[in-house]
Structures are given as structure tokens and as C-alpha cells.
Amino acid sequence: MAPTDLSRLQLPRACHEALAEQRAERIESHTIPVATAWWNTELAAAGLPGAPIASSGVAQLSRGDLFTDAAELDADSDDELLRFLWRVLAWGSGMRVRLNRKRIRAVADSPSSAVVALRQAVKSAGEDPARAYEALRPRDRNAIAYLGPAFSTKLLYFAGRGAVDHPCAILDSRVTATLRDICKWDSLADSAWPTSTYVRYCTLLDRWAHEESRRLGRRIGVDEIERWLFEP
């Protein structure tokens, strides 16, 4: 199938209505229940840095929590990079822990290479989505086993610290379904997106965000559109 001409795609009216809500309510306060005890137990058993992901009394994480993590992150610290990874994975997984034991094991098997990939991705995310994506998906393969595009893009997104002009957005199966079924990006695959597709996605959301910024008279972030795409 020929690539869809994204310049012709328009943001659905339902998203216009969602964007009328304040950013803080839709983004910073977007909270997910997390399996804190499971993560703390598994990371301790693996003997990996970055644990615990939270105290035993913490049962949820918000986007705002992860923005704070990123703002305080020392990207030169292996331990801090891994803790950031675990918390992003916990938020992205919610109460489902499928494949996360394998992800933990993949890092335990080669922690130095995992940290190198994470560091490059985090440091590139604010300026170059292609380079950041390729740090975790070199030659369309996972740099860290079982850490595929959907979770990789969550890491790239949260590395932006919540900045409204951050260029990297989350792309996962639910976002993809909306883009294909409602927005009519017909050629978009279900998963395993190459770098070129991720860049096209970020560029599309950036165009829509600028159009909506002019319409609403306030700066709209690409994540505000992604949030609607995830849950239209």
C-alpha cells in the first residue's frame, strides 16, 4: 500500500472538543494504577539498580510524576536512568506485568549496553526524534530485548519533562487504531514502525498542534492530541 498523504489528514472534531479542557487536567493528572510491589520484588531479585520504583504505599503514577522524574534525572547516572526506565514501564504497563520480567532480565543480562541506549535516547529526545528512536530501535530491532516501539516512545516522551514543545510523542496500538480507523491514516501498520513512520507521526501531530494552538489561542502540545488519540 502506498504511504498515506498525511498533509491531507484533518484532526477530528471530537479532538477539538477535548482540547478545550485544561492541559493540567488531561496531561499532568493522567494517573495509572501500578503494580508497585511486583516491580520492587522483581528488581530486588534481579539485583538491578534503580529499585525500588516507589515506596510500598504508592499505588499509582501520573504523567506529572514522570515529568518530575525527568526534570531531576541525571542522565549520566546509570542508576537514575534505570529507575526512570522502570517507572516509565510501570506507568505504561499499569497492573499488567506481561513481558516485564523478560525486560528486566534483558537489562540484567547486559546492563552496560542497555544504559548506553537509554542515555542516547534520553539526550536526543528533545531535539531529534529520529535519532532518539533509533537509539532504542537500531536497524528496526530492539536495542533492549522486549522493549519495543510502544514502550520506547513512552520513554522518549517522558524525557521531555512535560515541555509543551517537546517533539516526541507516544505511539502505541491504541493510538495507531485511532489514526487508522478515525483519522484515515490507511497505510499505518499495527506495530514495529520504522523510524520514518515515527518521524511522520511526530510531524503530523506537530502540524495539528500548531493548527489547534492558533484556533484556541494557547500553545497545544503534541501530547494533548496523543491523549485523545489514545482514548477518543
Side-chain angles (χ1 to χ4, degrees), residues 34-45 52-60 90 95 97:
V34 296
T36 304
W38 184 91
W39 281 98
N40 291 347
T41 298
E42 292 295 322
L43 291 171
I53 65 156
S55 64
S56 58
V58 175
Q60 59 187 24
M95 298 304 294
V97 297

mmCIF file with all atom_site columns, all heavy atoms in Angstrom, residues 34-45 52-60 90 95 97:
data_model
loop_
_atom_site.group_PDB
_atom_site.id
_atom_site.type_symbol
_atom_site.label_atom_id
_atom_site.label_alt_id
_atom_site.label_comp_id
_atom_site.label_asym_id
_atom_site.label_entity_id
_atom_site.label_seq_id
_atom_site.pdbx_PDB_ins_code
_atom_site.Cartn_x
_atom_site.Cartn_y
_atom_site.Cartn_z
_atom_site.occupancy
_atom_site.B_iso_or_equiv
_atom_site.pdbx_formal_charge
_atom_site.auth_seq_id
_atom_site.auth_comp_id
_atom_site.auth_asym_id
_atom_site.auth_atom_id
_atom_site.pdbx_PDB_model_num
ATOM 1   N N   . VAL A 1 34 ? -0.423 1.223   39.381 1.00 0.00 ? 34 VAL A N   1
ATOM 2   C CA  . VAL A 1 34 ? 0.768  0.442   39.038 1.00 0.00 ? 34 VAL A CA  1
ATOM 3   C C   . VAL A 1 34 ? 0.999  -0.664  40.066 1.00 0.00 ? 34 VAL A C   1
ATOM 4   O O   . VAL A 1 34 ? 0.604  -0.559  41.226 1.00 0.00 ? 34 VAL A O   1
ATOM 5   C CB  . VAL A 1 34 ? 2.025  1.337   38.940 1.00 0.00 ? 34 VAL A CB  1
ATOM 6   C CG1 . VAL A 1 34 ? 1.873  2.340   37.803 1.00 0.00 ? 34 VAL A CG1 1
ATOM 7   C CG2 . VAL A 1 34 ? 2.302  2.060   40.253 1.00 0.00 ? 34 VAL A CG2 1
ATOM 8   N N   . ALA A 1 35 ? 1.681  -1.716  39.592 1.00 0.00 ? 35 ALA A N   1
ATOM 9   C CA  . ALA A 1 35 ? 1.963  -2.891  40.439 1.00 0.00 ? 35 ALA A CA  1
ATOM 10  C C   . ALA A 1 35 ? 3.265  -2.675  41.203 1.00 0.00 ? 35 ALA A C   1
ATOM 11  O O   . ALA A 1 35 ? 4.269  -3.361  40.968 1.00 0.00 ? 35 ALA A O   1
ATOM 12  C CB  . ALA A 1 35 ? 2.029  -4.145  39.571 1.00 0.00 ? 35 ALA A CB  1
ATOM 13  N N   . THR A 1 36 ? 3.255  -1.740  42.126 1.00 0.00 ? 36 THR A N   1
ATOM 14  C CA  . THR A 1 36 ? 4.475  -1.331  42.835 1.00 0.00 ? 36 THR A CA  1
ATOM 15  C C   . THR A 1 36 ? 5.174  -2.505  43.514 1.00 0.00 ? 36 THR A C   1
ATOM 16  O O   . THR A 1 36 ? 6.397  -2.679  43.374 1.00 0.00 ? 36 THR A O   1
ATOM 17  C CB  . THR A 1 36 ? 4.148  -0.254  43.881 1.00 0.00 ? 36 THR A CB  1
ATOM 18  O OG1 . THR A 1 36 ? 3.509  0.846   43.233 1.00 0.00 ? 36 THR A OG1 1
ATOM 19  C CG2 . THR A 1 36 ? 5.407  0.229   44.575 1.00 0.00 ? 36 THR A CG2 1
ATOM 20  N N   . ALA A 1 37 ? 4.429  -3.308  44.254 1.00 0.00 ? 37 ALA A N   1
ATOM 21  C CA  . ALA A 1 37 ? 5.039  -4.417  44.991 1.00 0.00 ? 37 ALA A CA  1
ATOM 22  C C   . ALA A 1 37 ? 5.711  -5.395  44.032 1.00 0.00 ? 37 ALA A C   1
ATOM 23  O O   . ALA A 1 37 ? 6.814  -5.903  44.318 1.00 0.00 ? 37 ALA A O   1
ATOM 24  C CB  . ALA A 1 37 ? 3.983  -5.123  45.843 1.00 0.00 ? 37 ALA A CB  1
ATOM 25  N N   . TRP A 1 38 ? 5.065  -5.692  42.903 1.00 0.00 ? 38 TRP A N   1
ATOM 26  C CA  . TRP A 1 38 ? 5.648  -6.615  41.930 1.00 0.00 ? 38 TRP A CA  1
ATOM 27  C C   . TRP A 1 38 ? 6.964  -6.076  41.409 1.00 0.00 ? 38 TRP A C   1
ATOM 28  O O   . TRP A 1 38 ? 7.966  -6.809  41.373 1.00 0.00 ? 38 TRP A O   1
ATOM 29  C CB  . TRP A 1 38 ? 4.677  -6.835  40.764 1.00 0.00 ? 38 TRP A CB  1
ATOM 30  C CG  . TRP A 1 38 ? 5.181  -7.844  39.773 1.00 0.00 ? 38 TRP A CG  1
ATOM 31  C CD1 . TRP A 1 38 ? 4.952  -9.189  39.779 1.00 0.00 ? 38 TRP A CD1 1
ATOM 32  C CD2 . TRP A 1 38 ? 6.031  -7.587  38.632 1.00 0.00 ? 38 TRP A CD2 1
ATOM 33  N NE1 . TRP A 1 38 ? 5.596  -9.797  38.720 1.00 0.00 ? 38 TRP A NE1 1
ATOM 34  C CE2 . TRP A 1 38 ? 6.266  -8.837  37.999 1.00 0.00 ? 38 TRP A CE2 1
ATOM 35  C CE3 . TRP A 1 38 ? 6.614  -6.450  38.097 1.00 0.00 ? 38 TRP A CE3 1
ATOM 36  C CZ2 . TRP A 1 38 ? 7.050  -8.958  36.854 1.00 0.00 ? 38 TRP A CZ2 1
ATOM 37  C CZ3 . TRP A 1 38 ? 7.409  -6.561  36.950 1.00 0.00 ? 38 TRP A CZ3 1
ATOM 38  C CH2 . TRP A 1 38 ? 7.617  -7.805  36.337 1.00 0.00 ? 38 TRP A CH2 1
ATOM 39  N N   . TRP A 1 39 ? 6.987  -4.806  41.003 1.00 0.00 ? 39 TRP A N   1
ATOM 40  C CA  . TRP A 1 39 ? 8.213  -4.212  40.481 1.00 0.00 ? 39 TRP A CA  1
ATOM 41  C C   . TRP A 1 39 ? 9.331  -4.227  41.520 1.00 0.00 ? 39 TRP A C   1
ATOM 42  O O   . TRP A 1 39 ? 10.467 -4.593  41.218 1.00 0.00 ? 39 TRP A O   1
ATOM 43  C CB  . TRP A 1 39 ? 7.944  -2.773  40.025 1.00 0.00 ? 39 TRP A CB  1
ATOM 44  C CG  . TRP A 1 39 ? 7.291  -2.711  38.680 1.00 0.00 ? 39 TRP A CG  1
ATOM 45  C CD1 . TRP A 1 39 ? 5.968  -2.564  38.403 1.00 0.00 ? 39 TRP A CD1 1
ATOM 46  C CD2 . TRP A 1 39 ? 7.953  -2.840  37.412 1.00 0.00 ? 39 TRP A CD2 1
ATOM 47  N NE1 . TRP A 1 39 ? 5.752  -2.583  37.047 1.00 0.00 ? 39 TRP A NE1 1
ATOM 48  C CE2 . TRP A 1 39 ? 6.948  -2.751  36.420 1.00 0.00 ? 39 TRP A CE2 1
ATOM 49  C CE3 . TRP A 1 39 ? 9.276  -3.020  37.021 1.00 0.00 ? 39 TRP A CE3 1
ATOM 50  C CZ2 . TRP A 1 39 ? 7.246  -2.822  35.052 1.00 0.00 ? 39 TRP A CZ2 1
ATOM 51  C CZ3 . TRP A 1 39 ? 9.581  -3.096  35.669 1.00 0.00 ? 39 TRP A CZ3 1
ATOM 52  C CH2 . TRP A 1 39 ? 8.579  -3.004  34.704 1.00 0.00 ? 39 TRP A CH2 1
ATOM 53  N N   . ASN A 1 40 ? 9.019  -3.832  42.742 1.00 0.00 ? 40 ASN A N   1
ATOM 54  C CA  . ASN A 1 40 ? 10.054 -3.786  43.772 1.00 0.00 ? 40 ASN A CA  1
ATOM 55  C C   . ASN A 1 40 ? 10.619 -5.181  44.058 1.00 0.00 ? 40 ASN A C   1
ATOM 56  O O   . ASN A 1 40 ? 11.830 -5.347  44.223 1.00 0.00 ? 40 ASN A O   1
ATOM 57  C CB  . ASN A 1 40 ? 9.493  -3.161  45.048 1.00 0.00 ? 40 ASN A CB  1
ATOM 58  C CG  . ASN A 1 40 ? 9.205  -1.670  44.890 1.00 0.00 ? 40 ASN A CG  1
ATOM 59  O OD1 . ASN A 1 40 ? 9.648  -1.045  43.921 1.00 0.00 ? 40 ASN A OD1 1
ATOM 60  N ND2 . ASN A 1 40 ? 8.469  -1.117  45.831 1.00 0.00 ? 40 ASN A ND2 1
ATOM 61  N N   . THR A 1 41 ? 9.762  -6.177  44.095 1.00 0.00 ? 41 THR A N   1
ATOM 62  C CA  . THR A 1 41 ? 10.204 -7.551  44.343 1.00 0.00 ? 41 THR A CA  1
ATOM 63  C C   . THR A 1 41 ? 11.069 -8.073  43.201 1.00 0.00 ? 41 THR A C   1
ATOM 64  O O   . THR A 1 41 ? 12.136 -8.659  43.427 1.00 0.00 ? 41 THR A O   1
ATOM 65  C CB  . THR A 1 41 ? 8.990  -8.473  44.539 1.00 0.00 ? 41 THR A CB  1
ATOM 66  O OG1 . THR A 1 41 ? 8.244  -8.046  45.682 1.00 0.00 ? 41 THR A OG1 1
ATOM 67  C CG2 . THR A 1 41 ? 9.425  -9.919  44.730 1.00 0.00 ? 41 THR A CG2 1
ATOM 68  N N   . GLU A 1 42 ? 10.621 -7.870  41.958 1.00 0.00 ? 42 GLU A N   1
ATOM 69  C CA  . GLU A 1 42 ? 11.346 -8.385  40.802 1.00 0.00 ? 42 GLU A CA  1
ATOM 70  C C   . GLU A 1 42 ? 12.702 -7.711  40.628 1.00 0.00 ? 42 GLU A C   1
ATOM 71  O O   . GLU A 1 42 ? 13.704 -8.365  40.306 1.00 0.00 ? 42 GLU A O   1
ATOM 72  C CB  . GLU A 1 42 ? 10.508 -8.202  39.524 1.00 0.00 ? 42 GLU A CB  1
ATOM 73  C CG  . GLU A 1 42 ? 9.268  -9.066  39.461 1.00 0.00 ? 42 GLU A CG  1
ATOM 74  C CD  . GLU A 1 42 ? 9.601  -10.549 39.395 1.00 0.00 ? 42 GLU A CD  1
ATOM 75  O OE1 . GLU A 1 42 ? 10.584 -10.914 38.718 1.00 0.00 ? 42 GLU A OE1 1
ATOM 76  O OE2 . GLU A 1 42 ? 8.863  -11.335 40.021 1.00 0.00 ? 42 GLU A OE2 1
ATOM 77  N N   . LEU A 1 43 ? 12.754 -6.411  40.832 1.00 0.00 ? 43 LEU A N   1
ATOM 78  C CA  . LEU A 1 43 ? 14.025 -5.698  40.665 1.00 0.00 ? 43 LEU A CA  1
ATOM 79  C C   . LEU A 1 43 ? 15.010 -6.084  41.766 1.00 0.00 ? 43 LEU A C   1
ATOM 80  O O   . LEU A 1 43 ? 16.213 -6.211  41.514 1.00 0.00 ? 43 LEU A O   1
ATOM 81  C CB  . LEU A 1 43 ? 13.784 -4.193  40.644 1.00 0.00 ? 43 LEU A CB  1
ATOM 82  C CG  . LEU A 1 43 ? 13.041 -3.681  39.399 1.00 0.00 ? 43 LEU A CG  1
ATOM 83  C CD1 . LEU A 1 43 ? 12.646 -2.222  39.575 1.00 0.00 ? 43 LEU A CD1 1
ATOM 84  C CD2 . LEU A 1 43 ? 13.898 -3.851  38.146 1.00 0.00 ? 43 LEU A CD2 1
ATOM 85  N N   . ALA A 1 44 ? 14.501 -6.274  42.976 1.00 0.00 ? 44 ALA A N   1
ATOM 86  C CA  . ALA A 1 44 ? 15.384 -6.712  44.060 1.00 0.00 ? 44 ALA A CA  1
ATOM 87  C C   . ALA A 1 44 ? 15.935 -8.107  43.760 1.00 0.00 ? 44 ALA A C   1
ATOM 88  O O   . ALA A 1 44 ? 17.130 -8.375  43.972 1.00 0.00 ? 44 ALA A O   1
ATOM 89  C CB  . ALA A 1 44 ? 14.614 -6.720  45.380 1.00 0.00 ? 44 ALA A CB  1
ATOM 90  N N   . ALA A 1 45 ? 15.096 -8.976  43.244 1.00 0.00 ? 45 ALA A N   1
ATOM 91  C CA  . ALA A 1 45 ? 15.538 -10.332 42.923 1.00 0.00 ? 45 ALA A CA  1
ATOM 92  C C   . ALA A 1 45 ? 16.580 -10.337 41.809 1.00 0.00 ? 45 ALA A C   1
ATOM 93  O O   . ALA A 1 45 ? 17.501 -11.158 41.804 1.00 0.00 ? 45 ALA A O   1
ATOM 94  C CB  . ALA A 1 45 ? 14.337 -11.185 42.521 1.00 0.00 ? 45 ALA A CB  1
ATOM 95  N N   . PRO A 1 52 ? 13.894 0.780   44.829 1.00 0.00 ? 52 PRO A N   1
ATOM 96  C CA  . PRO A 1 52 ? 12.527 0.483   44.401 1.00 0.00 ? 52 PRO A CA  1
ATOM 97  C C   . PRO A 1 52 ? 11.984 1.576   43.490 1.00 0.00 ? 52 PRO A C   1
ATOM 98  O O   . PRO A 1 52 ? 12.474 2.706   43.503 1.00 0.00 ? 52 PRO A O   1
ATOM 99  C CB  . PRO A 1 52 ? 11.767 0.461   45.734 1.00 0.00 ? 52 PRO A CB  1
ATOM 100 C CG  . PRO A 1 52 ? 12.499 1.449   46.595 1.00 0.00 ? 52 PRO A CG  1
ATOM 101 C CD  . PRO A 1 52 ? 13.959 1.286   46.227 1.00 0.00 ? 52 PRO A CD  1
ATOM 102 N N   . ILE A 1 53 ? 10.957 1.227   42.719 1.00 0.00 ? 53 ILE A N   1
ATOM 103 C CA  . ILE A 1 53 ? 10.382 2.248   41.836 1.00 0.00 ? 53 ILE A CA  1
ATOM 104 C C   . ILE A 1 53 ? 9.562  3.254   42.622 1.00 0.00 ? 53 ILE A C   1
ATOM 105 O O   . ILE A 1 53 ? 9.344  4.378   42.181 1.00 0.00 ? 53 ILE A O   1
ATOM 106 C CB  . ILE A 1 53 ? 9.522  1.634   40.719 1.00 0.00 ? 53 ILE A CB  1
ATOM 107 C CG1 . ILE A 1 53 ? 8.282  0.939   41.287 1.00 0.00 ? 53 ILE A CG1 1
ATOM 108 C CG2 . ILE A 1 53 ? 10.330 0.682   39.853 1.00 0.00 ? 53 ILE A CG2 1
ATOM 109 C CD1 . ILE A 1 53 ? 7.150  0.841   40.281 1.00 0.00 ? 53 ILE A CD1 1
ATOM 110 N N   . ALA A 1 54 ? 9.092  2.832   43.791 1.00 0.00 ? 54 ALA A N   1
ATOM 111 C CA  . ALA A 1 54 ? 8.306  3.710   44.667 1.00 0.00 ? 54 ALA A CA  1
ATOM 112 C C   . ALA A 1 54 ? 8.188  3.017   46.009 1.00 0.00 ? 54 ALA A C   1
ATOM 113 O O   . ALA A 1 54 ? 8.444  1.818   46.125 1.00 0.00 ? 54 ALA A O   1
ATOM 114 C CB  . ALA A 1 54 ? 6.924  3.979   44.073 1.00 0.00 ? 54 ALA A CB  1
ATOM 115 N N   . SER A 1 55 ? 7.796  3.769   47.019 1.00 0.00 ? 55 SER A N   1
ATOM 116 C CA  . SER A 1 55 ? 7.577  3.173   48.335 1.00 0.00 ? 55 SER A CA  1
ATOM 117 C C   . SER A 1 55 ? 6.364  2.263   48.291 1.00 0.00 ? 55 SER A C   1
ATOM 118 O O   . SER A 1 55 ? 5.516  2.362   47.394 1.00 0.00 ? 55 SER A O   1
ATOM 119 C CB  . SER A 1 55 ? 7.373  4.272   49.384 1.00 0.00 ? 55 SER A CB  1
ATOM 120 O OG  . SER A 1 55 ? 6.199  5.014   49.107 1.00 0.00 ? 55 SER A OG  1
ATOM 121 N N   . SER A 1 56 ? 6.272  1.369   49.238 1.00 0.00 ? 56 SER A N   1
ATOM 122 C CA  . SER A 1 56 ? 5.214  0.359   49.221 1.00 0.00 ? 56 SER A CA  1
ATOM 123 C C   . SER A 1 56 ? 3.821  0.967   49.298 1.00 0.00 ? 56 SER A C   1
ATOM 124 O O   . SER A 1 56 ? 2.843  0.345   48.895 1.00 0.00 ? 56 SER A O   1
ATOM 125 C CB  . SER A 1 56 ? 5.405  -0.626  50.379 1.00 0.00 ? 56 SER A CB  1
ATOM 126 O OG  . SER A 1 56 ? 5.394  0.068   51.619 1.00 0.00 ? 56 SER A OG  1
ATOM 127 N N   . GLY A 1 57 ? 3.705  2.206   49.778 1.00 0.00 ? 57 GLY A N   1
ATOM 128 C CA  . GLY A 1 57 ? 2.396  2.836   49.885 1.00 0.00 ? 57 GLY A CA  1
ATOM 129 C C   . GLY A 1 57 ? 1.927  3.523   48.616 1.00 0.00 ? 57 GLY A C   1
ATOM 130 O O   . GLY A 1 57 ? 0.802  4.015   48.556 1.00 0.00 ? 57 GLY A O   1
ATOM 131 N N   . VAL A 1 58 ? 2.779  3.569   47.605 1.00 0.00 ? 58 VAL A N   1
ATOM 132 C CA  . VAL A 1 58 ? 2.421  4.240   46.362 1.00 0.00 ? 58 VAL A CA  1
ATOM 133 C C   . VAL A 1 58 ? 1.825  3.231   45.396 1.00 0.00 ? 58 VAL A C   1
ATOM 134 O O   . VAL A 1 58 ? 2.467  2.253   45.036 1.00 0.00 ? 58 VAL A O   1
ATOM 135 C CB  . VAL A 1 58 ? 3.652  4.921   45.719 1.00 0.00 ? 58 VAL A CB  1
ATOM 136 C CG1 . VAL A 1 58 ? 3.299  5.525   44.367 1.00 0.00 ? 58 VAL A CG1 1
ATOM 137 C CG2 . VAL A 1 58 ? 4.194  5.994   46.650 1.00 0.00 ? 58 VAL A CG2 1
ATOM 138 N N   . ALA A 1 59 ? 0.579  3.467   44.991 1.00 0.00 ? 59 ALA A N   1
ATOM 139 C CA  . ALA A 1 59 ? -0.121 2.511   44.144 1.00 0.00 ? 59 ALA A CA  1
ATOM 140 C C   . ALA A 1 59 ? -0.441 3.062   42.764 1.00 0.00 ? 59 ALA A C   1
ATOM 141 O O   . ALA A 1 59 ? -1.114 2.399   41.975 1.00 0.00 ? 59 ALA A O   1
ATOM 142 C CB  . ALA A 1 59 ? -1.424 2.083   44.823 1.00 0.00 ? 59 ALA A CB  1
ATOM 143 N N   . GLN A 1 60 ? 0.037  4.265   42.452 1.00 0.00 ? 60 GLN A N   1
ATOM 144 C CA  . GLN A 1 60 ? -0.251 4.842   41.152 1.00 0.00 ? 60 GLN A CA  1
ATOM 145 C C   . GLN A 1 60 ? 0.824  5.856   40.777 1.00 0.00 ? 60 GLN A C   1
ATOM 146 O O   . GLN A 1 60 ? 1.532  6.373   41.643 1.00 0.00 ? 60 GLN A O   1
ATOM 147 C CB  . GLN A 1 60 ? -1.628 5.513   41.139 1.00 0.00 ? 60 GLN A CB  1
ATOM 148 C CG  . GLN A 1 60 ? -1.789 6.621   42.172 1.00 0.00 ? 60 GLN A CG  1
ATOM 149 C CD  . GLN A 1 60 ? -3.217 7.134   42.242 1.00 0.00 ? 60 GLN A CD  1
ATOM 150 O OE1 . GLN A 1 60 ? -4.168 6.444   41.883 1.00 0.00 ? 60 GLN A OE1 1
ATOM 151 N NE2 . GLN A 1 60 ? -3.368 8.360   42.706 1.00 0.00 ? 60 GLN A NE2 1
ATOM 152 N N   . ALA A 1 90 ? 6.439  0.873   34.415 1.00 0.00 ? 90 ALA A N   1
ATOM 153 C CA  . ALA A 1 90 ? 5.352  0.638   35.372 1.00 0.00 ? 90 ALA A CA  1
ATOM 154 C C   . ALA A 1 90 ? 4.119  1.442   34.985 1.00 0.00 ? 90 ALA A C   1
ATOM 155 O O   . ALA A 1 90 ? 2.990  0.924   35.005 1.00 0.00 ? 90 ALA A O   1
ATOM 156 C CB  . ALA A 1 90 ? 5.816  0.993   36.786 1.00 0.00 ? 90 ALA A CB  1
ATOM 157 N N   . MET A 1 95 ? -1.390 -2.354  35.787 1.00 0.00 ? 95 MET A N   1
ATOM 158 C CA  . MET A 1 95 ? -1.405 -3.548  36.624 1.00 0.00 ? 95 MET A CA  1
ATOM 159 C C   . MET A 1 95 ? -1.042 -4.811  35.849 1.00 0.00 ? 95 MET A C   1
ATOM 160 O O   . MET A 1 95 ? -0.989 -5.897  36.413 1.00 0.00 ? 95 MET A O   1
ATOM 161 C CB  . MET A 1 95 ? -2.781 -3.725  37.278 1.00 0.00 ? 95 MET A CB  1
ATOM 162 C CG  . MET A 1 95 ? -3.161 -2.591  38.207 1.00 0.00 ? 95 MET A CG  1
ATOM 163 S SD  . MET A 1 95 ? -1.933 -2.297  39.524 1.00 0.00 ? 95 MET A SD  1
ATOM 164 C CE  . MET A 1 95 ? -2.092 -3.812  40.468 1.00 0.00 ? 95 MET A CE  1
ATOM 165 N N   . VAL A 1 97 ? 1.650  -7.064  34.042 1.00 0.00 ? 97 VAL A N   1
ATOM 166 C CA  . VAL A 1 97 ? 3.112  -7.197  34.104 1.00 0.00 ? 97 VAL A CA  1
ATOM 167 C C   . VAL A 1 97 ? 3.654  -8.077  32.977 1.00 0.00 ? 97 VAL A C   1
ATOM 168 O O   . VAL A 1 97 ? 4.821  -8.452  32.980 1.00 0.00 ? 97 VAL A O   1
ATOM 169 C CB  . VAL A 1 97 ? 3.563  -7.749  35.474 1.00 0.00 ? 97 VAL A CB  1
ATOM 170 C CG1 . VAL A 1 97 ? 3.184  -6.773  36.574 1.00 0.00 ? 97 VAL A CG1 1
ATOM 171 C CG2 . VAL A 1 97 ? 2.947  -9.121  35.747 1.00 0.00 ? 97 VAL A CG2 1
#
